[in-house]
Amino acid sequence: MVDENRLGSRTKSKIDPKPENVETAGPSRGDKDKLQGVTLTILSVDLLKTKEGQNRQEHHTDSFHSDNLIVRRGQSFQMWIELSQPFDKNTDELHLELNLGPIPLVSKGTQIIVSLVEEPEGKLWEAKIIEHKDNRIKLSVSSPPTALIGQYRLTVVAQSPKGVAKSTYDPNNDIYMLFNPWCEDDTVYMENEGERTEYILNDVGRLYYGTVNQIGARTWNFGQFADGVLKACFYVLDKTNIPFHGRADPVNVARVISAIVNSLDDNGVLEGNWSGDYFGGTAPTSWTGSVDILKKYHSENGTPVKYGQCWVFSGVTTTVLRCLGIPCRSVTNFSSAHDTDDSMTIDVYFDEKMHPIDAFNTDSIWNFHVWNDCWMARPDLPSGMGGWQAVDSTPQESSQGMFCCGPAPINAIRSGEVFHKYDAHFVFAEVSSDKIYWQRKENGKFRLIHTEKDVVGCCILTKAVGSCDSNDITLLYKYPEGSEEERIAVETAISYGTKSVVYNTSTPKDVSLEVAVKGDGPRMGEDAQLVIKLQNNSTKPRNTNLHSEVAVMYYTGVLKATIKKENIPAKLNPGEVKTLNWVLRYQDYKNQLVDQAALMLTLSGQVKETQQILATQYNFRLRTPDLIITPLGNAVVGKEMTANITFSNPLPQTLKNITVLVEGLGLQSAQKMAVRDVDPCSTVTWTVSFVPTLSGPRKLLASLNCHQLTQVHGVADIIVREN
């Protein structure tokens, strides 16, 4: 009789030929002679794949909402096989066949023959019988730490003196193989358990945005374990150009994922859009997680999802890499440079009158840019290049013919060794490049007039391990600003750039120029106020005339339009510090803003007495209100509950065509609802209903989007009890 407690839930395999006269008890000597004339067949295969079972628990895959067996390479798993008669190791043979891809080949490693062994050697595909019970045998199956990741099709082959029988393929017995950060011999091995929990198992995170002086944070549902996401992630991997036999190397996998997450040249997951017009899709600021994006891409047969910007690309990349087993985190670089000519510098050009030359200013500094770090050894590079690697799925510049970036070793970026693959030079410029100001002379040539060495990569943040706090990882990417090591790294990188010189100017610099925001910074709907600080460090009077321009810009540093210009004369006494109040009225910007409500103030001028050039650019944003989410009543699995979402309109104008998106892992799948117009400077409350499906701590997220106001979101913590 079959022991159901031992077998758990079993999936039957159809067998041909049909077994005849099979005894369920152990055979006697006479019975053995009779059975030698009967074909040994497979009746059923039990992969012990329940979430509560030993396999899923030991492989840290029990959180996946999938009925398939999901295991990690370099680690054994167990399975039962029920045969038509007791297995006789003296006369019978048995092996497993695992096939990967459309044309599995042993020579390519995509067809695996797993034979039975008496004593496993380790680090190989092999199986050992660890228990006999009547007609059933229990196997311990081992895989190497270099196994290809993927969805393997399993069949069992049995051979007896009478012939060979093979189980019919059953998709319910497909085995998903993932990378294994718990295995010391896997190149993605991560030693610290807290970090493994955060960078593989945590399905909710924090993304940071804004400016270095006005940092905002939002919760993001990575959802790598959600129903359908595992299949979607392998579908995404299948859409890349990586062959099945190349899927053992996390370097290759991370690189192609950084390419396929954007759609620019390969019909990847997300279509980027920075125009402000999101007709026919979802505004990037409205997304609250990756699950709907990946499932939509999968269900629509690889049609790019509309629309994404950098934090959305990064959030989806974190989901895919964590799902596949590569430790990954989203990282935000504030004041992130985009070097368009591989000079390792960000160049700003002015005309003879110190007005910016927009046509020449193709380099930019993004208010913030979000990419990813993933963890792996780099056996393809010199020693010391393993560990965190930067990958960037936002399409900016092509790399080896496709829009991707990385993995670039952070250790190489920090030291300025920009020649290491992949794309270390581009990431170095994002975090450590100098900003060089040039002025056009009367003969048409340009002269260097000013250098800023500390305005790029001002702060690099990621979510802290085990908490919702931020973790400043700037010093992982670069040495302290102004240190000797930092200057050596910059000079090393520049020597490999297209302008391989070290920039110096001999003009005396005794007047300094700084810009700052007041308090927490300007709020949407109010006048924006900044402070301009001029300091005369000399013993003589100084006079200057500052030319100011403020422009609306996309958070990427690309300017939309200049909305105000003025000249600001200043007379400085010896040693004087002069503070000037600068104001931008709401009426001047109210109909001009784009996503993120970002603006840039450019100041330029010349000290009359010394010819010293004064120049700086200051990015700031207008703060938007939060959504306040208030759960109502008790949260119990399977029972409907409600929550109120409260919003205060900060603008003296009516908000129209508003959509609110609500979602929460284990609470509510993404739901988009249109709501009524909101009157000027008024407060409204909406009520949403949902039925929790999972117990434990959960987060309910909401975002609001309309033409006049974006980047409005909120989060509430909810503890759900079992019913």
Side-chain angles (χ1 to χ4, degrees):
M1 180 176 292
V2 174
D3 183 353
E4 289 292 344
N5 291 327
R6 171 70 71 180
L7 283 176
S9 61
R10 297 183 301 165
T11 301
K12 293 287 186 179
S13 300
K14 299 178 181 178
I15 305 300
D16 187 23
K18 183 177 180 181
E20 299 177 359
N21 303 322
V22 178
E23 299 286 345
T24 57
S28 64
R29 179 180 297 273
D31 291 334
K32 286 184 178 180
D33 293 335
K34 295 177 182 179
L35 289 173
Q36 287 180 355
V38 178
T39 302
L40 179 68
T41 59
I42 303 97
L43 298 183
S44 68
V45 175
D46 180 4
L47 293 177
L48 304 173
K49 56 190 178 182
T50 62
K51 297 178 185 179
E52 301 79 14
Q54 178 180 347
N55 284 336
R56 297 276 294 269
Q57 293 283 329
E58 290 184 350
H59 285 256
H60 305 93
T61 60
D62 51 297
S63 295
F64 280 100
H65 287 260
S66 171
D67 293 329
N68 286 91
L69 178 61
I70 308 163
V71 295
R72 301 186 187 276
R73 65 185 192 176
Q75 187 174 340
S76 63
F77 62 91
Q78 297 178 3
M79 60 185 289
W80 281 98
I81 299 175
E82 184 180 10
L83 303 168
S84 58
Q85 61 193 45
F87 183 80
D88 186 342
K89 67 178 182 180
N90 295 316
T91 60
D92 300 332
E93 294 183 5
L94 183 142
H95 70 262
L96 311 178
E97 283 189 10
L98 294 168
N99 294 308
L100 184 64
I103 308 177
L105 296 171
V106 173
S107 60
K108 295 286 189 180
T110 52
Q111 183 178 59
I112 310 296
I113 308 299
V114 186
S115 301
L116 296 179
V117 297
E118 290 290 334
E119 292 298 330
E121 298 181 25
K123 302 182 182 180
L124 299 172
W125 280 106
E126 51 195 359
K128 180 182 179 180
I129 299 175
I130 57 174
E131 188 174 345
H132 286 264
K133 188 164 185 176
D134 299 328
N135 292 356
R136 293 179 290 121
I137 56 174
K138 189 177 188 180
L139 303 184
S140 175
V141 183
S142 300
S143 65
T146 56
L148 302 173
I149 67 163
Q151 181 179 353
Y152 287 87
R153 302 183 300 278
L154 169 69
T155 53
V156 181
V157 179
Q159 183 174 355
S160 64
K162 190 65 176 178
V164 177
K166 185 175 183 177
S167 64
T168 302
Y169 165 66
D170 182 350
N172 293 312
N173 281 337
D174 281 358
I175 299 174
Y176 287 89
M177 181 69 69
L178 309 178
F179 292 108
N180 192 352
W182 285 266
C183 174
E184 293 187 14
D185 295 313
D186 197 316
T187 48
V188 301
Y189 172 67
M190 180 173 263
E191 183 178 10
N192 184 278
E193 179 62 25
E195 292 183 342
R196 288 193 296 246
T197 299
E198 181 69 44
Y199 300 132
I200 289 290
L201 302 181
N202 196 351
D203 57 3
V204 179
R206 299 279 276 173
L207 305 180
Y208 300 93
Y209 65 94
T211 69
V212 67
N213 296 304
Q214 300 167 284
I215 294 174
R218 63 181 300 168
T219 302
W220 189 267
N221 281 336
F222 296 124
Q224 65 268 33
F225 305 123
D227 185 33
V229 171
L230 178 67
K231 288 186 177 180
C233 288
F234 273 107
Y235 177 79
V236 168
L237 186 61
D238 289 344
K239 294 286 286 185
T240 70
N241 60 5
I242 188 173
F244 283 88
H245 63 265
R247 300 183 181 187
D249 186 356
V251 175
N252 292 341
V253 171
R255 183 159 175 78
V256 298
I257 292 300
S258 79
I260 196 64
V261 167
N262 72 76
S263 68
L264 203 55
D265 52 9
D266 51 11
N267 286 321
V269 177
L270 272 165
E271 181 178 330
N273 186 340
W274 287 264
S275 70
D277 179 5
Y278 307 118
F279 178 78
T282 298
T285 52
S286 292
W287 295 113
T288 54
S290 309
V291 175
D292 267 29
I293 295 171
L294 287 165
K295 292 175 70 173
K296 182 177 177 65
Y297 182 70
H298 186 199
S299 65
E300 296 184 358
N301 299 316
T303 301
V305 178
K306 300 176 179 181
Y307 294 103
Q309 291 179 7
C310 69
W311 66 93
V312 188
F313 290 116
S314 174
V316 171
T317 300
T318 297
T319 299
V320 175
L321 292 184
R322 286 187 184 181
C323 183
L324 299 180
I326 299 176
C328 185
R329 62 191 184 189
S330 290
V331 170
T332 301
N333 178 36
F334 290 94
S335 299
S336 186
H338 182 183
D339 172 26
T340 58
D341 60 2
D342 292 334
S343 64
M344 306 296 154
T345 59
I346 301 304
D347 300 298
V348 183
Y349 295 92
F350 293 89
D351 63 17
E352 296 84 349
K353 296 182 179 181
M354 288 300 294
H355 295 164
I357 308 175
D358 293 340
F360 286 19
N361 293 329
T362 56
D363 289 349
S364 60
I365 297 180
W366 299 30
N367 283 350
F368 70 96
H369 182 43
V370 190
W371 63 72
N372 297 84
D373 287 346
C374 55
W375 180 272
M376 63 190 66
R378 290 299 299 268
D380 57 322
L381 296 178
S383 178
M385 292 296 120
W388 287 116
Q389 315 285 314
V391 294
D392 191 348
S393 299
T394 301
Q396 296 180 81
E397 302 291 332
S398 63
S399 172
Q400 295 182 331
M402 58 183 178
F403 279 92
C404 66
C405 181
I410 290 180
N411 288 339
I413 296 164
R414 189 170 189 250
S415 60
E417 297 178 28
V418 296
F419 46 84
H420 287 305
K421 61 183 183 181
Y422 294 94
D423 310 307
H425 67 285
F426 186 79
V427 183
F428 177 89
E430 289 183 299
V431 301
S432 292
S433 54
D434 288 345
K435 190 172 186 180
I436 310 298
Y437 292 80
W438 305 86
Q439 184 183 24
R440 186 168 58 196
K441 298 189 294 185
E442 291 183 358
N443 63 6
K445 294 183 179 180
F446 286 87
R447 69 183 182 100
L448 187 155
I449 56 173
H450 182 55
T451 302
E452 291 180 327
K453 299 181 179 181
D454 58 357
V455 297
V456 168
C458 299
C459 178
I460 305 174
L461 294 182
T462 189
K463 178 186 172 298
V465 172
S467 80
C468 288
D469 296 333
S470 63
N471 179 24
D472 190 329
I473 58 171
T474 308
L475 295 183
L476 288 183
Y477 272 88
K478 57 196 294 185
Y479 290 104
E481 289 287 357
S483 66
E484 182 179 0
E485 295 91 340
E486 186 260 347
R487 281 294 96 194
I488 291 173
V490 171
E491 293 175 14
T492 299
I494 289 176
S495 69
Y496 290 95
T498 55
K499 298 176 182 176
S500 55
V501 294
V502 178
Y503 300 97
N504 292 298
T505 57
S506 57
T507 306
K509 297 180 180 179
D510 53 23
V511 176
S512 62
L513 170 65
E514 296 180 6
V515 182
V517 296
K518 285 187 174 182
D520 293 333
R523 295 178 179 273
M524 179 72 77
E526 301 175 356
D527 292 347
Q529 299 186 48
L530 303 180
V531 174
I532 300 172
K533 178 182 173 183
L534 285 163
Q535 181 168 348
N536 180 8
N537 298 307
S538 75
T539 58
K540 298 180 180 180
R542 295 289 185 250
N543 290 274
T544 186
N545 187 51
L546 293 177
H547 173 74
S548 74
E549 290 187 12
V550 64
V552 172
M553 72 171 186
Y554 300 94
Y555 81 94
T556 58
V558 176
L559 302 183
K560 177 193 175 189
T562 298
I563 57 177
K564 180 183 177 181
K565 295 182 180 181
E566 65 179 326
N567 290 315
I568 307 172
K571 181 177 181 180
L572 301 171
N573 294 321
E576 181 182 5
V577 176
K578 178 164 287 189
T579 300
L580 306 173
N581 291 319
W582 181 89
V583 179
L584 177 66
R585 297 182 307 147
Y586 169 71
Q587 295 298 323
D588 292 332
Y589 71 73
K590 70 174 185 178
N591 296 320
Q592 301 290 335
L593 297 178
V594 292
D595 289 351
Q596 309 290 335
L599 299 108
M600 181 171 69
L601 174 64
T602 299
L603 295 173
S604 60
Q606 193 169 33
V607 178
K608 180 179 179 181
E609 290 80 8
T610 63
Q611 307 306 305
Q612 176 191 345
I613 296 295
L614 299 175
T616 192
Q617 292 178 319
Y618 187 81
N619 299 342
F620 62 100
R621 69 180 178 94
L622 303 170
R623 296 178 61 199
T624 53
D626 293 328
L627 295 177
I628 307 301
I629 305 176
T630 306
L632 304 175
N634 296 322
V636 180
V637 171
K639 292 189 175 182
E640 185 177 79
M641 67 172 296
T642 58
N644 285 341
I645 302 173
T646 302
F647 165 69
S648 296
N649 178 9
L651 303 180
Q653 58 179 295
T654 300
L655 302 183
K656 299 178 179 293
N657 300 319
I658 305 169
T659 58
V660 176
L661 188 147
V662 183
E663 77 163 308
L665 296 175
L667 297 174
Q668 164 78 56
S669 59
Q671 175 186 354
K672 185 184 292 187
M673 55 186 184
V675 298
R676 62 178 177 81
D677 296 349
V678 178
D679 294 333
C681 301
S682 64
T683 298
V684 296
T685 297
W686 305 291
T687 301
V688 295
S689 300
F690 52 93
V691 178
T693 57
L694 296 174
S695 62
R698 300 289 157 190
K699 291 184 183 292
L700 184 66
L701 312 183
S703 67
L704 177 148
N705 189 74
C706 66
H707 178 70
Q708 302 100 319
L709 199 61
T710 62
Q711 199 64 278
V712 178
H713 46 81
V715 60
D717 292 309
I718 299 176
I719 304 297
V720 182
R721 295 185 292 106
E722 288 284 359
N723 189 348

